[in-house]
Amino acid sequence: MRTSSIFLSAFLALVLLGAGCASAQTDVTTQESSDQAAPSAPTRRPYDRGQDQEDELNEEEDEETVQEEADESQNEVETNTESTAELEDLADDVDDLLGGMDAGESGF
Amino acid sequence: MKKFLLLAVLGVVFVPSASVFAQEQAPSGSVDPVARCEAMVETSKERYDANQTRNADNASRISATIEKLEAFITKANELGADTSVLSSDMQTLSTYMNELEADYQAVQDNLSVMMQSDCETMTAEEYRSQVTNAKSLFEALRANVTAIRDLRTTIKTHIDEILSTIKE
């Protein structure tokens, strides 16, 4: 009688232990499913906020870079235009100078 | 009819006579050699002064042209253009400038000699020789100026090519 009580107690303990493990496993699985199902949940963690700020900074930097490149391109166009105009002025001067060459007359 | 015959005879007789008379009165046959020499001396002085002014202007133009071409070549090089042909033109212009200076000096030296001619003793042969020599020297100078004006066209063509390349 005493032996059967011991076995009964051990059996109950095993059953309870098994039930506890099953419950814990269910919790973990539920949590994992929840994480996978809602990756972009509105909940903002500190890491996410930092990432957002970095993204915004990068975006601003990109915009600045694009603007700088546009400015540089514009400056380059203006410089080339000025240089070409300068070259054309020099070409006109050369033509005028040589066009004014005069041998004159022998006089005899 | 008789009148016509008479006019024809008179024409045959008097027209050749008039022609001979005209030849005798022509100034070429009676040019005073001294006066002609003095005119040549005067012309030599005028040409000497005129050449001096003109040559100074020509030399100034060529020097300025070379400076402008150098500036053009430097600028065009900065913009990545090939300016080797234009550089060669500039060298040619520099050579022409030296030749023009030499031709000018020869003309002026000859005019100096002509200005000092002794018109009392100068013969017709000496006169003709001096004038011919003066014309010949001047033609060399004129040819040099013509070459420079032709080079102007060449330079313009090469400059236009460089400008087209830069604008592309």
PDB file of all heavy atoms in Angstrom, chain B residues 81-105:
ATOM      1  N   ALA B  81      41.655  70.862 -75.221  1.00  0.00           N
ATOM      2  CA  ALA B  81      41.732  70.858 -76.685  1.00  0.00           C
ATOM      3  C   ALA B  81      43.172  70.599 -77.152  1.00  0.00           C
ATOM      4  O   ALA B  81      44.125  70.925 -76.455  1.00  0.00           O
ATOM      5  CB  ALA B  81      41.247  72.190 -77.232  1.00  0.00           C
ATOM      6  N   ASP B  82      43.266  70.015 -78.330  1.00  0.00           N
ATOM      7  CA  ASP B  82      44.578  69.800 -78.946  1.00  0.00           C
ATOM      8  C   ASP B  82      44.948  71.066 -79.731  1.00  0.00           C
ATOM      9  O   ASP B  82      44.260  71.429 -80.680  1.00  0.00           O
ATOM     10  CB  ASP B  82      44.517  68.595 -79.888  1.00  0.00           C
ATOM     11  CG  ASP B  82      45.837  68.355 -80.603  1.00  0.00           C
ATOM     12  OD1 ASP B  82      46.832  69.027 -80.266  1.00  0.00           O
ATOM     13  OD2 ASP B  82      45.881  67.485 -81.498  1.00  0.00           O
ATOM     14  N   THR B  83      46.034  71.711 -79.329  1.00  0.00           N
ATOM     15  CA  THR B  83      46.400  72.994 -79.938  1.00  0.00           C
ATOM     16  C   THR B  83      47.725  72.915 -80.690  1.00  0.00           C
ATOM     17  O   THR B  83      48.333  73.942 -80.977  1.00  0.00           O
ATOM     18  CB  THR B  83      46.505  74.080 -78.850  1.00  0.00           C
ATOM     19  OG1 THR B  83      47.447  73.645 -77.876  1.00  0.00           O
ATOM     20  CG2 THR B  83      45.178  74.333 -78.195  1.00  0.00           C
ATOM     21  N   SER B  84      48.159  71.700 -80.991  1.00  0.00           N
ATOM     22  CA  SER B  84      49.483  71.548 -81.602  1.00  0.00           C
ATOM     23  C   SER B  84      49.568  72.259 -82.966  1.00  0.00           C
ATOM     24  O   SER B  84      50.586  72.866 -83.289  1.00  0.00           O
ATOM     25  CB  SER B  84      49.826  70.067 -81.751  1.00  0.00           C
ATOM     26  OG  SER B  84      48.812  69.398 -82.460  1.00  0.00           O
ATOM     27  N   VAL B  85      48.501  72.173 -83.749  1.00  0.00           N
ATOM     28  CA  VAL B  85      48.525  72.789 -85.076  1.00  0.00           C
ATOM     29  C   VAL B  85      48.577  74.316 -84.951  1.00  0.00           C
ATOM     30  O   VAL B  85      49.328  74.986 -85.675  1.00  0.00           O
ATOM     31  CB  VAL B  85      47.274  72.367 -85.889  1.00  0.00           C
ATOM     32  CG1 VAL B  85      47.252  73.073 -87.232  1.00  0.00           C
ATOM     33  CG2 VAL B  85      47.272  70.868 -86.097  1.00  0.00           C
ATOM     34  N   LEU B  86      47.815  74.836 -84.012  1.00  0.00           N
ATOM     35  CA  LEU B  86      47.810  76.290 -83.806  1.00  0.00           C
ATOM     36  C   LEU B  86      49.163  76.766 -83.273  1.00  0.00           C
ATOM     37  O   LEU B  86      49.624  77.856 -83.629  1.00  0.00           O
ATOM     38  CB  LEU B  86      46.685  76.679 -82.843  1.00  0.00           C
ATOM     39  CG  LEU B  86      46.375  78.168 -82.757  1.00  0.00           C
ATOM     40  CD1 LEU B  86      45.949  78.723 -84.115  1.00  0.00           C
ATOM     41  CD2 LEU B  86      45.293  78.436 -81.724  1.00  0.00           C
ATOM     42  N   SER B  87      49.776  75.946 -82.447  1.00  0.00           N
ATOM     43  CA  SER B  87      51.121  76.290 -81.958  1.00  0.00           C
ATOM     44  C   SER B  87      52.099  76.372 -83.125  1.00  0.00           C
ATOM     45  O   SER B  87      52.966  77.253 -83.160  1.00  0.00           O
ATOM     46  CB  SER B  87      51.610  75.231 -80.955  1.00  0.00           C
ATOM     47  OG  SER B  87      50.820  75.248 -79.810  1.00  0.00           O
ATOM     48  N   SER B  88      51.947  75.455 -84.058  1.00  0.00           N
ATOM     49  CA  SER B  88      52.801  75.466 -85.243  1.00  0.00           C
ATOM     50  C   SER B  88      52.557  76.740 -86.069  1.00  0.00           C
ATOM     51  O   SER B  88      53.506  77.359 -86.568  1.00  0.00           O
ATOM     52  CB  SER B  88      52.503  74.221 -86.084  1.00  0.00           C
ATOM     53  OG  SER B  88      53.235  74.249 -87.277  1.00  0.00           O
ATOM     54  N   ASP B  89      51.283  77.136 -86.172  1.00  0.00           N
ATOM     55  CA  ASP B  89      50.955  78.394 -86.878  1.00  0.00           C
ATOM     56  C   ASP B  89      51.639  79.579 -86.209  1.00  0.00           C
ATOM     57  O   ASP B  89      52.123  80.495 -86.882  1.00  0.00           O
ATOM     58  CB  ASP B  89      49.438  78.631 -86.862  1.00  0.00           C
ATOM     59  CG  ASP B  89      48.682  77.620 -87.708  1.00  0.00           C
ATOM     60  OD1 ASP B  89      49.307  77.000 -88.578  1.00  0.00           O
ATOM     61  OD2 ASP B  89      47.473  77.460 -87.472  1.00  0.00           O
ATOM     62  N   MET B  90      51.647  79.550 -84.896  1.00  0.00           N
ATOM     63  CA  MET B  90      52.244  80.656 -84.152  1.00  0.00           C
ATOM     64  C   MET B  90      53.753  80.730 -84.421  1.00  0.00           C
ATOM     65  O   MET B  90      54.312  81.820 -84.565  1.00  0.00           O
ATOM     66  CB  MET B  90      51.977  80.483 -82.653  1.00  0.00           C
ATOM     67  CG  MET B  90      52.242  81.722 -81.852  1.00  0.00           C
ATOM     68  SD  MET B  90      51.755  81.533 -80.141  1.00  0.00           S
ATOM     69  CE  MET B  90      52.964  80.358 -79.565  1.00  0.00           C
ATOM     70  N   GLN B  91      54.380  79.572 -84.505  1.00  0.00           N
ATOM     71  CA  GLN B  91      55.810  79.536 -84.828  1.00  0.00           C
ATOM     72  C   GLN B  91      56.055  80.104 -86.225  1.00  0.00           C
ATOM     73  O   GLN B  91      57.015  80.850 -86.453  1.00  0.00           O
ATOM     74  CB  GLN B  91      56.328  78.093 -84.754  1.00  0.00           C
ATOM     75  CG  GLN B  91      56.413  77.539 -83.341  1.00  0.00           C
ATOM     76  CD  GLN B  91      57.373  78.346 -82.475  1.00  0.00           C
ATOM     77  OE1 GLN B  91      58.434  78.750 -82.935  1.00  0.00           O
ATOM     78  NE2 GLN B  91      56.991  78.611 -81.248  1.00  0.00           N
ATOM     79  N   THR B  92      55.179  79.731 -87.146  1.00  0.00           N
ATOM     80  CA  THR B  92      55.304  80.247 -88.518  1.00  0.00           C
ATOM     81  C   THR B  92      55.165  81.765 -88.537  1.00  0.00           C
ATOM     82  O   THR B  92      55.916  82.466 -89.215  1.00  0.00           O
ATOM     83  CB  THR B  92      54.207  79.619 -89.420  1.00  0.00           C
ATOM     84  OG1 THR B  92      54.300  78.200 -89.331  1.00  0.00           O
ATOM     85  CG2 THR B  92      54.362  80.049 -90.863  1.00  0.00           C
ATOM     86  N   LEU B  93      54.212  82.259 -87.769  1.00  0.00           N
ATOM     87  CA  LEU B  93      54.000  83.713 -87.691  1.00  0.00           C
ATOM     88  C   LEU B  93      55.237  84.405 -87.127  1.00  0.00           C
ATOM     89  O   LEU B  93      55.640  85.477 -87.595  1.00  0.00           O
ATOM     90  CB  LEU B  93      52.778  84.016 -86.821  1.00  0.00           C
ATOM     91  CG  LEU B  93      52.422  85.489 -86.657  1.00  0.00           C
ATOM     92  CD1 LEU B  93      52.107  86.131 -88.008  1.00  0.00           C
ATOM     93  CD2 LEU B  93      51.239  85.667 -85.713  1.00  0.00           C
ATOM     94  N   SER B  94      55.840  83.771 -86.145  1.00  0.00           N
ATOM     95  CA  SER B  94      57.053  84.322 -85.544  1.00  0.00           C
ATOM     96  C   SER B  94      58.176  84.395 -86.590  1.00  0.00           C
ATOM     97  O   SER B  94      58.915  85.386 -86.668  1.00  0.00           O
ATOM     98  CB  SER B  94      57.459  83.447 -84.357  1.00  0.00           C
ATOM     99  OG  SER B  94      58.578  83.980 -83.734  1.00  0.00           O
ATOM    100  N   THR B  95      58.275  83.346 -87.404  1.00  0.00           N
ATOM    101  CA  THR B  95      59.285  83.325 -88.470  1.00  0.00           C
ATOM    102  C   THR B  95      59.016  84.434 -89.487  1.00  0.00           C
ATOM    103  O   THR B  95      59.933  85.155 -89.910  1.00  0.00           O
ATOM    104  CB  THR B  95      59.262  81.953 -89.192  1.00  0.00           C
ATOM    105  OG1 THR B  95      59.477  80.928 -88.234  1.00  0.00           O
ATOM    106  CG2 THR B  95      60.325  81.876 -90.268  1.00  0.00           C
ATOM    107  N   TYR B  96      57.748  84.569 -89.871  1.00  0.00           N
ATOM    108  CA  TYR B  96      57.366  85.621 -90.823  1.00  0.00           C
ATOM    109  C   TYR B  96      57.695  87.005 -90.267  1.00  0.00           C
ATOM    110  O   TYR B  96      58.075  87.914 -91.013  1.00  0.00           O
ATOM    111  CB  TYR B  96      55.875  85.542 -91.137  1.00  0.00           C
ATOM    112  CG  TYR B  96      55.482  84.430 -92.092  1.00  0.00           C
ATOM    113  CD1 TYR B  96      54.145  84.154 -92.362  1.00  0.00           C
ATOM    114  CD2 TYR B  96      56.433  83.648 -92.729  1.00  0.00           C
ATOM    115  CE1 TYR B  96      53.769  83.143 -93.222  1.00  0.00           C
ATOM    116  CE2 TYR B  96      56.074  82.629 -93.590  1.00  0.00           C
ATOM    117  CZ  TYR B  96      54.740  82.384 -93.842  1.00  0.00           C
ATOM    118  OH  TYR B  96      54.373  81.387 -94.695  1.00  0.00           O
ATOM    119  N   MET B  97      57.513  87.153 -88.975  1.00  0.00           N
ATOM    120  CA  MET B  97      57.788  88.447 -88.350  1.00  0.00           C
ATOM    121  C   MET B  97      59.272  88.795 -88.508  1.00  0.00           C
ATOM    122  O   MET B  97      59.621  89.933 -88.855  1.00  0.00           O
ATOM    123  CB  MET B  97      57.413  88.414 -86.864  1.00  0.00           C
ATOM    124  CG  MET B  97      57.602  89.756 -86.173  1.00  0.00           C
ATOM    125  SD  MET B  97      56.946  89.817 -84.498  1.00  0.00           S
ATOM    126  CE  MET B  97      58.139  88.805 -83.636  1.00  0.00           C
ATOM    127  N   ASN B  98      60.132  87.803 -88.291  1.00  0.00           N
ATOM    128  CA  ASN B  98      61.576  88.047 -88.445  1.00  0.00           C
ATOM    129  C   ASN B  98      61.926  88.372 -89.897  1.00  0.00           C
ATOM    130  O   ASN B  98      62.745  89.266 -90.176  1.00  0.00           O
ATOM    131  CB  ASN B  98      62.363  86.825 -87.965  1.00  0.00           C
ATOM    132  CG  ASN B  98      62.225  86.603 -86.471  1.00  0.00           C
ATOM    133  OD1 ASN B  98      61.965  87.547 -85.719  1.00  0.00           O
ATOM    134  ND2 ASN B  98      62.369  85.369 -86.023  1.00  0.00           N
ATOM    135  N   GLU B  99      61.294  87.634 -90.813  1.00  0.00           N
ATOM    136  CA  GLU B  99      61.559  87.875 -92.235  1.00  0.00           C
ATOM    137  C   GLU B  99      61.068  89.265 -92.652  1.00  0.00           C
ATOM    138  O   GLU B  99      61.732  89.963 -93.426  1.00  0.00           O
ATOM    139  CB  GLU B  99      60.871  86.797 -93.085  1.00  0.00           C
ATOM    140  CG  GLU B  99      61.527  85.432 -92.954  1.00  0.00           C
ATOM    141  CD  GLU B  99      60.786  84.344 -93.711  1.00  0.00           C
ATOM    142  OE1 GLU B  99      59.764  84.655 -94.359  1.00  0.00           O
ATOM    143  OE2 GLU B  99      61.224  83.186 -93.635  1.00  0.00           O
ATOM    144  N   LEU B 100      59.914  89.634 -92.124  1.00  0.00           N
ATOM    145  CA  LEU B 100      59.364  90.958 -92.455  1.00  0.00           C
ATOM    146  C   LEU B 100      60.284  92.061 -91.956  1.00  0.00           C
ATOM    147  O   LEU B 100      60.506  93.059 -92.647  1.00  0.00           O
ATOM    148  CB  LEU B 100      57.971  91.106 -91.821  1.00  0.00           C
ATOM    149  CG  LEU B 100      57.239  92.412 -92.131  1.00  0.00           C
ATOM    150  CD1 LEU B 100      56.924  92.514 -93.624  1.00  0.00           C
ATOM    151  CD2 LEU B 100      55.952  92.512 -91.326  1.00  0.00           C
ATOM    152  N   GLU B 101      60.817  91.867 -90.788  1.00  0.00           N
ATOM    153  CA  GLU B 101      61.733  92.863 -90.221  1.00  0.00           C
ATOM    154  C   GLU B 101      62.982  92.994 -91.103  1.00  0.00           C
ATOM    155  O   GLU B 101      63.461  94.112 -91.353  1.00  0.00           O
ATOM    156  CB  GLU B 101      62.115  92.432 -88.793  1.00  0.00           C
ATOM    157  CG  GLU B 101      62.941  93.454 -88.044  1.00  0.00           C
ATOM    158  CD  GLU B 101      62.206  94.772 -87.821  1.00  0.00           C
ATOM    159  OE1 GLU B 101      60.968  94.761 -87.737  1.00  0.00           O
ATOM    160  OE2 GLU B 101      62.886  95.811 -87.770  1.00  0.00           O
ATOM    161  N   ALA B 102      63.485  91.834 -91.582  1.00  0.00           N
ATOM    162  CA  ALA B 102      64.677  91.856 -92.447  1.00  0.00           C
ATOM    163  C   ALA B 102      64.358  92.534 -93.780  1.00  0.00           C
ATOM    164  O   ALA B 102      65.152  93.351 -94.286  1.00  0.00           O
ATOM    165  CB  ALA B 102      65.168  90.428 -92.681  1.00  0.00           C
ATOM    166  N   ASP B 103      63.181  92.195 -94.335  1.00  0.00           N
ATOM    167  CA  ASP B 103      62.786  92.823 -95.610  1.00  0.00           C
ATOM    168  C   ASP B 103      62.614  94.329 -95.439  1.00  0.00           C
ATOM    169  O   ASP B 103      63.032  95.115 -96.297  1.00  0.00           O
ATOM    170  CB  ASP B 103      61.454  92.216 -96.093  1.00  0.00           C
ATOM    171  CG  ASP B 103      61.619  90.777 -96.559  1.00  0.00           C
ATOM    172  OD1 ASP B 103      62.766  90.379 -96.826  1.00  0.00           O
ATOM    173  OD2 ASP B 103      60.600  90.068 -96.633  1.00  0.00           O
ATOM    174  N   TYR B 104      62.015  94.705 -94.350  1.00  0.00           N
ATOM    175  CA  TYR B 104      61.796  96.128 -94.060  1.00  0.00           C
ATOM    176  C   TYR B 104      63.132  96.857 -93.964  1.00  0.00           C
ATOM    177  O   TYR B 104      63.319  97.941 -94.533  1.00  0.00           O
ATOM    178  CB  TYR B 104      61.001  96.271 -92.766  1.00  0.00           C
ATOM    179  CG  TYR B 104      61.105  97.627 -92.125  1.00  0.00           C
ATOM    180  CD1 TYR B 104      60.412  98.719 -92.638  1.00  0.00           C
ATOM    181  CD2 TYR B 104      61.909  97.819 -91.000  1.00  0.00           C
ATOM    182  CE1 TYR B 104      60.520  99.972 -92.044  1.00  0.00           C
ATOM    183  CE2 TYR B 104      62.017  99.062 -90.405  1.00  0.00           C
ATOM    184  CZ  TYR B 104      61.332 100.133 -90.935  1.00  0.00           C
ATOM    185  OH  TYR B 104      61.442 101.369 -90.356  1.00  0.00           O
ATOM    186  N   GLN B 105      64.062  96.231 -93.273  1.00  0.00           N
ATOM    187  CA  GLN B 105      65.368  96.873 -93.101  1.00  0.00           C
ATOM    188  C   GLN B 105      66.077  97.052 -94.432  1.00  0.00           C
ATOM    189  O   GLN B 105      66.719  98.090 -94.686  1.00  0.00           O
ATOM    190  CB  GLN B 105      66.221  96.031 -92.140  1.00  0.00           C
ATOM    191  CG  GLN B 105      67.327  96.814 -91.460  1.00  0.00           C
ATOM    192  CD  GLN B 105      66.795  98.052 -90.741  1.00  0.00           C
ATOM    193  OE1 GLN B 105      65.927  97.943 -89.880  1.00  0.00           O
ATOM    194  NE2 GLN B 105      67.286  99.233 -91.114  1.00  0.00           N
TER     195      GLN B 105
END
